[in-house]
């Protein structure tokens, strides 16, 4: 299975092309800019979409590291995420909902985790220099503030994406380009 980061925003772009409501267009444009900036690991562009009082929630994950609150803490979250090397990902969105208060994206999340990162997390892999596939169904609620900035990424995950990860080693060609289109 190849990771194609463009699937992360494909449905958002398609919906945006036909959306006429200015508030809905703005919410879609913010999510689109955010996801493309994440794919390129352009930290300044990601943070330009985030509200000062944003609070991310990773339901099912424990600890404050996965639930950063405030723009400065969220910025550090992205710095740490980039350092982990696990930012090569796609959320293959098959459900998209948008209203005046936010956006919901849902699909299959695929992430290429570096072996070294997995080992540091306590997972057994045979090659610390290889990448391994994390895969799970995920929904993300993107609440928006009155200015159309992201107030959070509230993620819900079904299943254990790390289950049997050692058997899902990726070839270099399986990891899509992180360059945003």
């Amino acid at each position: 299975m190849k990771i194609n980061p463009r699937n992360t925003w494909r449905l958002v772009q398609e919906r945006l092309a036909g959306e006429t409501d200015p508030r809905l267009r703005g919410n879609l444009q913010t999510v689109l800019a955010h996801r493309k900036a994440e794919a390129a690991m352009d930290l300044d562009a990601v943070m330009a979409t985030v509200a000062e009082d944003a609070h991310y929630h990773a339901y099912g994950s424990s600890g404050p590291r996965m639930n950063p609150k405030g723009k400065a803490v969220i910025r550090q979250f992205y710095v740490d995420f980039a350092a982990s090397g696990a930012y090569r990902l796609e959320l293959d969105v098959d459900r998209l909902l948008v209203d005046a208060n936010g956006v919901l994206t849902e699909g299959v999340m695929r992430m290429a985790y570096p072996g070294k990162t997995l080992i540091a997390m306590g997972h057994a892999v045979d090659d610390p220099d290889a990448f391994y596939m994390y895969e799970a169904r995920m929904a993300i609620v993107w609440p928006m503030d009155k200015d159309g900035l992201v107030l959070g990424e509230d993620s819900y995950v079904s299943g254990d994406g790390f289950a049997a990860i050692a058997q899902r080693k990726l070839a270099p060609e399986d990891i899509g380009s992180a360059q945003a289109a």
Side-chain angles (χ1 to χ4, degrees), residues 3-11 13 36 39 89-91 176-181:
I3 292 177
N4 181 355
R6 288 170 179 80
N7 286 334
T8 305
W9 58 80
R10 174 186 41 79
L11 216 55
Q13 272 184 320
K36 284 186 170 189
L89 60 83
E90 86 174 279
L91 177 60
S177 169
Q179 296 302 315

Side-chain angles (χ1 to χ4, degrees), residues 10-137:
R10 174 186 41 79
L11 216 55
V12 174
Q13 272 184 320
E14 289 174 10
R15 172 69 187 269
L16 183 59
E19 184 56 61
T20 59
D21 182 283
R23 177 66 183 184
L24 302 187
R25 284 188 61 76
N27 288 348
L28 290 164
Q29 288 168 331
T30 298
V31 170
L32 179 63
H34 187 95
R35 295 319 305 252
K36 284 186 170 189
E38 281 181 334
M41 267 292 98
D42 182 340
L43 186 57
D44 290 334
V46 170
M47 296 313 298
T49 68
V50 176
E52 288 296 326
D53 57 343
H55 188 180
Y56 286 20
H57 300 92
Y59 294 102
S61 297
S62 61
R65 184 180 69 78
M66 293 304 294
N67 297 286
K69 183 177 183 178
K71 198 164 183 173
V73 179
I74 290 170
R75 182 179 192 83
Q76 187 60 50
F77 169 82
Y78 281 109
V79 168
D80 295 344
F81 183 55
S84 79
Y87 59 87
R88 295 163 187 91
L89 60 83
E90 86 174 279
L91 177 60
D92 191 0
V93 176
D94 55 34
R95 181 176 300 164
L96 171 70
L97 302 172
V98 60
D99 75 7
N101 299 310
V103 175
L104 174 118
T105 54
E106 181 184 350
V108 176
M109 173 62 81
R110 294 181 185 93
M111 299 174 72
Y113 266 86
K116 289 176 185 160
T117 299
L118 290 168
I119 291 167
M121 294 169 64
H123 297 282
V125 295
D126 67 351
D127 184 354
D129 295 320
F131 283 84
Y132 296 81
M133 177 75 79
Y134 167 97
E135 188 172 56
R137 183 123 188 116

Side-chain angles (χ1 to χ4, degrees), residues 113-167:
Y113 266 86
K116 289 176 185 160
T117 299
L118 290 168
I119 291 167
M121 294 169 64
H123 297 282
V125 295
D126 67 351
D127 184 354
D129 295 320
F131 283 84
Y132 296 81
M133 177 75 79
Y134 167 97
E135 188 172 56
R137 183 123 188 116
M138 180 179 285
I140 302 173
V141 177
W142 303 80
M144 299 290 180
D145 73 4
K146 64 179 178 51
D147 298 318
L149 294 175
V150 173
L151 281 170
E153 280 189 46
D154 299 340
S155 61
Y156 301 82
V157 178
S158 173
D160 180 0
F162 292 109
I165 198 163
Q167 286 78 46

